[in-house]
Amino acid sequence: MMRVATIFAAWLVLAAAALAQMEAPKPAPELKKLEMMAGSWTLDGDVKPSPMGPGGKMTETEKCEWMEGNFYLVCHSDFKSVSMGNGSAMSIMGYSTDDKAYTYREFNSWGEFTDSKGQVDGDTWTWTSEEKMGPTTMKGRFTMKITSPTTYNFGFEMSQDGTKWTQIMDGKATKPK
């Protein structure tokens, strides 16, 4: 029995030494592009009339901060909409080195969950997702066109087939000074 305990203790010492020599993981360099999204934002949008509702104005306040380690940007938002109602959401943005894509996951107070993949091309971010609407799976596309370090224009579109898109919402986001 003593021999087993000695072998186990030696294994623990070797494992600890191996872990001590391993370098802590570092955030992917692509995450630096999310830095401009950190901070407080105000979004003002126009929801278009559609089968989802009559449309109208929408406002949102959002605060995004890096989680310890700088692998994920965590955002908390409150939104108000005349046509759709009020609510809150929490989202987490990151980067998948496996998928070579940015990630966006959102959970809101209406019980909805969004899982999107993003790409950036110059000053334009495009986030794509699939949304369940009853028995139908719709494709979603959220586009952000950066116009300055403190503003971007946004739009959200939906499609049944991924080729014909319908504008659902557009607007402007600003960082208060």
Side-chain angles (χ1 to χ4, degrees):
M1 187 62 131
M2 183 65 152
R3 180 170 165 88
V4 171
T6 303
I7 292 171
F8 183 67
W11 179 83
L12 284 175
V13 168
L14 288 173
L19 284 174
Q21 291 176 5
M22 290 178 62
E23 195 171 313
K26 293 191 180 349
E30 291 84 357
L31 287 165
K32 291 193 184 309
K33 291 186 180 181
L34 290 175
E35 181 60 38
M36 68 90 44
M37 294 181 202
S40 296
W41 290 89
T42 300
L43 288 78
D44 292 300
D46 184 32
V47 180
K48 310 300 181 194
S50 72
M52 293 171 47
K57 297 294 181 192
M58 178 279 306
T59 60
E60 179 177 326
T61 56
E62 180 176 65
K63 183 175 182 182
C64 301
E65 299 177 315
W66 286 102
M67 178 186 283
E68 186 176 340
N70 292 340
F71 286 92
Y72 298 101
L73 190 61
V74 180
C75 304
H76 295 274
S77 57
D78 292 303
F79 51 89
K80 295 180 181 182
S81 169
V82 174
S83 62
M84 297 171 58
N86 303 337
S88 61
M90 182 192 81
S91 59
I92 302 171
M93 288 184 264
Y95 185 79
S96 169
T97 53
D98 292 338
D99 296 334
K100 304 278 188 259
Y102 290 89
T103 58
Y104 177 90
R105 291 199 165 138
E106 178 186 277
F107 306 87
N108 70 33
S109 58
W110 297 345
E112 297 170 332
F113 164 71
T114 301
D115 190 8
S116 302
K117 297 281 187 203
Q119 298 294 327
V120 62
D121 183 11
D123 60 3
T124 302
W125 289 81
T126 304
W127 301 89
T128 56
S129 62
E130 290 192 351
E131 319 269 337
K132 279 295 251 186
M133 298 184 79
T136 306
T137 299
M138 301 286 288
K139 296 184 184 311
R141 181 168 63 191
F142 186 83
T143 307
M144 302 165 59
K145 170 98 168 132
I146 309 303
T147 54
S148 82
T150 59
T151 60
Y152 64 85
N153 296 324
F154 64 87
F156 180 67
E157 303 166 284
M158 293 188 87
S159 172
Q160 283 188 309
D161 60 9
T163 58
K164 183 178 181 224
W165 294 88
T166 301
Q167 187 80 32
I168 303 297
M169 176 176 41
D170 59 15
K172 183 175 183 175
T174 57
K175 267 187 180 179
K177 296 190 188 312

